[in-house]
Amino acid sequence: MPLLLGILTGLAALTAACGRFPHLMGGAPVVALGLFLIGAGALAVTRRSVTRNMTPVLLLAGVLALYLGNGRLNSSGDNQGIRALPAAIVAHHGLDISGITPFTMEPLHYSGIRRGQVILPSFPLGTSFLAVPFYAVFADATDGRALISRLDEIEKVAAAGLVVLALLFLFLGLRSRFGPRAAFLGTACVALASPIASTAAQGLWSSTGALFLLCAGLGILLRRSHSSSLLFIAGALFGLSAFARPTAVLPALAFGAVLLARRPRIEAAAASLGFACGLLICGALNLLLLGHPFGPYFAMNRAPRSWTTDVLPGALGSLLSPSRGLLVWCPWILAGAALLVLARGPRLRGFAAAALASVIPTWLLIAGYRKWWGGECIGPRLFLEAMPFLAVLVCGVVAQRGRPFLKSALGALVLLSGGTHILATYRPAAGLWSGMVDVDSNTRACWSLTDSQLAATWLPRWSPSDIRGRGFIGNRRRDNGLSGSIDQPAPGQAVSGRLVIRGWARIAGDDLEILAELDASEARAQSSVRRFPRPDVCAAFPALGNCDAAGWEIDFGSPRPNQRGDVSVHAVFRSKDGRFRRYPSVTFVWKPDA
């Protein structure tokens, strides 16, 4: 307990330091410090002395330094509401995010939802509430109102801090079960050689909060001895992870079911009861705050266009794609899976089976998900919640006697995977890859090796061979602050006959240029753009100035006679001063006149 309190105090102090001195979040000295601390931790774990107790301190401080060392936020439009809520709680003492950009503008950003007179995040709320203490530290460093202007750096520090705390719970559980050496290597593997490093620790994704709850529950479940009450708490934490990300319960449920299958029934019953209670609490909170036990996120993803019966691309791509494949970005899983055959004794085989079982339900879900590549992210993001459970594979290989070849193979694959994820975290091209190749409408890029995110990570001067709209974008820099929208058609709307896309795009002093395309199945580029006045836009945002040509309209003509089903429109806004923004795609139904 004193060690745990010491680590928590140290992390709080480091977070406060980052709040007061933002330059601590980037630069070569921070990277060098992180590598030094992890190396010192690796040395300490081999010593049979008091220095071994410093292992988690050194490891987690080093990992935190590497997470912050790139000095750059890697987030997504999906996370805008998640990061705005803790800011509203700390700065405005309420849950309404309407005073925080981008929710001050109309139409409402897709990551927000109106609930009566207030705006709340449309994505799960769990990560937001877990991040509140980190935002409170930054408020102490400045003040509540000034905090709103520093959301990028606060989001980054909050994400890294939450992940490091999650890794602390994971380390303590692994150490209790497998010993300090195996726990060090297992924790270091998932911390640096998985999407935890390149995604969850770089922004407040839904998975960031889910990882915290899953690792806390797993840390309890892995203890060598525990009472039924502790198992109840572990199950409840697994159930509550749905409040951060609903799919997080899948790996937890599979791992717990396999691991507890041979335990006394009273233990399995206690964990199951806790799990059910966690889910009920999650549903009650969603019902109270969002008006539905599953929240709006459930409605967003139950639409028929979100799923497909053609599961082969998702099943293979989520494992083997050079840009999103789990076995490509985390090949160490293959060495760990060998435990099923090579482990000495049924106990290690049981742990290996439970760890691999945690991946299967997530994999099956991804296979049926139309956007199996996970949108704008780095690597196999959709497998994030399974990563803590896969740490057991690494510990199992390290903990068993003999098998030097397997251990060497595991070490080599962990180093390769760690290099990939850390490089991707530090290489801007890897973070920008999804937008550069327009992956949501150009899924062939997921299968290309030369145009892959893996190539963008490892090749210093990489550039894609074919980018949709590349001539329009040129060497411009991305800026999601360029204001505009697609107003017509609305998402899910049925359009018959001639298709006209309308919207607006303007910043102060500049009417933005527009490039719009329909998805690959239609393969239609835009005709000329007609500009027209939008006085309503200027009335809502007076700072934009003259809106005589803020509106835009593009006529795509009539559909093909056999056209049926969903179509997506993708728009890029371009400013005269060298910036561009890809607006979130809008999917609707387009069919011929009846």
Side-chain angles (χ1 to χ4, degrees):
M1 183 60 70
L3 177 62
L4 177 61
L5 292 176
I7 294 174
L8 293 175
T9 302
L11 291 174
L14 184 56
T15 303
C18 289
R20 293 183 180 274
F21 308 105
H23 62 274
L24 292 178
M25 292 172 56
V30 180
V31 178
L33 175 63
L35 294 174
F36 171 78
L37 291 172
I38 293 172
L43 181 63
V45 80
T46 64
R47 305 287 182 180
R48 295 186 178 276
S49 64
V50 70
T51 57
R52 177 177 288 190
N53 293 328
M54 293 297 295
T55 298
V57 179
L58 295 170
L59 172 63
L60 297 177
V63 166
L64 182 60
L66 288 182
Y67 287 165
L68 298 177
N70 61 353
R72 188 167 46 81
L73 180 68
N74 177 27
S75 190
S76 165
D78 293 359
N79 304 336
Q80 292 292 322
I82 295 174
R83 80 173 191 172
L85 182 57
I89 292 172
V90 173
H92 301 150
H93 309 292
L95 302 181
D96 185 10
I97 62 175
S98 61
I100 299 172
T101 305
F103 305 101
T104 57
M105 299 183 293
E106 293 291 344
L108 183 63
H109 191 271
Y110 71 93
S111 66
I113 186 172
R114 297 190 187 279
R115 174 84 169 132
Q117 299 299 314
V118 303
I119 297 175
L120 292 174
S122 58
F123 285 74
L125 306 179
T127 299
S128 297
F129 287 116
L130 289 170
V132 167
F134 295 92
Y135 281 65
V137 170
F138 273 79
D140 288 341
T142 56
D143 63 73
R145 290 183 299 274
L147 174 148
I148 303 299
S149 65
R150 305 178 62 190
L151 289 184
D152 278 5
E153 62 193 80
I154 299 174
E155 179 183 356
K156 182 173 178 62
V157 172
L162 272 177
V163 168
V164 168
L165 287 176
L167 294 171
L168 170 62
F169 292 121
L170 178 63
F171 176 88
L172 294 176
L174 293 174
R175 184 175 67 174
S176 174
R177 176 63 61 174
F178 298 102
R181 182 167 171 266
F184 177 91
L185 294 173
T187 305
C189 175
V190 297
L192 301 174
S194 81
I196 289 177
S198 52
T199 300
Q202 299 299 317
L204 285 177
W205 301 77
S206 299
S207 300
T208 305
L211 282 171
F212 177 87
L213 296 167
L214 291 175
C215 286
L218 184 58
I220 296 173
L221 191 62
L222 288 175
R223 289 168 57 94
R224 284 189 175 273
S225 60
H226 35 54
S227 62
S228 296
S229 59
L230 283 177
L231 284 172
F232 176 88
I233 294 173
L237 289 168
F238 286 162
L240 282 171
S241 67
F243 192 49
R245 184 167 177 83
T247 55
V249 301
L250 297 177
L253 192 59
F255 183 89
V258 174
L259 192 63
L260 295 174
R262 298 182 180 180
R263 295 285 189 89
R265 290 184 179 180
I266 186 65
E267 294 187 359
S272 300
L273 181 61
F275 182 77
C277 289
L279 287 179
L280 286 174
I281 293 172
C282 175
L285 289 172
N286 281 329
L287 183 62
L288 175 66
L289 297 173
L290 299 171
H292 192 284
F294 300 112
Y297 186 68
F298 176 77
M300 290 165 61
N301 286 284
R302 71 178 179 181
R305 61 178 177 271
S306 297
W307 304 94
T308 178
T309 55
D310 184 13
V311 299
L312 190 59
L316 294 179
S318 59
L319 295 180
L320 302 174
S321 163
S323 297
R324 293 294 193 260
L326 178 66
L327 300 182
V328 175
W329 285 72
C330 301
W332 51 268
I333 294 173
L334 295 172
L339 271 181
L340 283 176
V341 178
L342 301 177
R344 299 180 186 275
R347 186 177 67 90
L348 286 180
R349 287 196 188 95
F351 277 114
L356 292 173
S358 70
V359 179
I360 294 174
T362 302
W363 177 55
L364 294 176
L365 188 72
I366 294 171
Y369 188 49
R370 192 177 295 275
K371 288 179 63 172
W372 57 264
W373 54 91
E376 193 165 330
C377 60
I378 294 178
R381 174 180 69 89
L382 297 181
F383 283 102
L384 260 170
E385 294 84 21
M387 291 299 133
F389 303 97
L390 293 175
V392 172
L393 292 176
V394 179
C395 292
V397 173
V398 175
Q400 69 171 342
R401 296 179 181 178
R403 309 296 188 194
F405 175 78
L406 181 59
K407 293 179 180 179
S408 298
L410 176 67
L413 292 175
V414 167
L415 288 175
L416 174 63
S417 183
T420 299
H421 284 281
I422 296 301
L423 275 177
T425 301
Y426 281 77
R427 287 269 293 144
L432 296 174
W433 177 86
S434 300
M436 293 175 74
V437 302
D438 200 7
V439 65
D440 286 347
S441 57
N442 183 27
T443 56
R444 290 175 297 178
C446 292
W447 295 102
S448 169
L449 183 59
T450 56
D451 283 346
S452 67
Q453 198 167 37
L454 203 62
T457 298
W458 282 99
L459 301 180
R461 297 185 178 181
W462 174 88
S463 62
S465 58
D466 180 25
I467 304 177
R468 291 168 62 88
R470 180 170 174 79
F472 185 81
I473 294 172
N475 294 321
R476 294 169 183 263
R477 64 185 184 277
R478 178 187 293 267
D479 184 357
N480 289 332
L482 298 180
S483 52
S485 75
I486 299 175
D487 297 338
Q488 181 183 332
Q493 178 182 341
V495 178
S496 298
R498 182 171 292 274
L499 173 64
V500 179
I501 308 294
R502 294 186 179 92
W504 66 273
R506 180 174 172 81
I507 58 175
D510 184 9
D511 290 316
L512 302 177
E513 297 177 77
I514 309 297
L515 172 72
E517 294 178 300
L518 299 188
D519 63 5
S521 64
E522 273 296 311
R524 294 196 191 188
Q526 70 182 44
S527 59
S528 60
V529 181
R530 186 180 77 84
R531 304 305 293 248
F532 57 88
R534 285 292 301 267
D536 58 323
V537 171
C538 273
F541 310 110
L544 295 180
N546 186 349
C547 290
D548 287 346
W552 57 268
E553 179 182 276
I554 300 171
D555 188 339
F556 281 94
S558 300
R560 298 185 179 94
N562 60 348
Q563 169 68 40
R564 291 291 188 280
D566 294 342
V567 174
S568 296
V569 62
H570 314 274
V572 181
F573 305 149
R574 185 175 73 173
S575 67
K576 295 183 179 68
D577 59 0
R579 293 175 290 161
F580 79 96
R581 175 192 176 189
R582 290 188 185 276
Y583 192 80
S585 59
V586 174
T587 302
F588 53 94
V589 178
W590 191 22
K591 56 187 179 181
D593 284 322

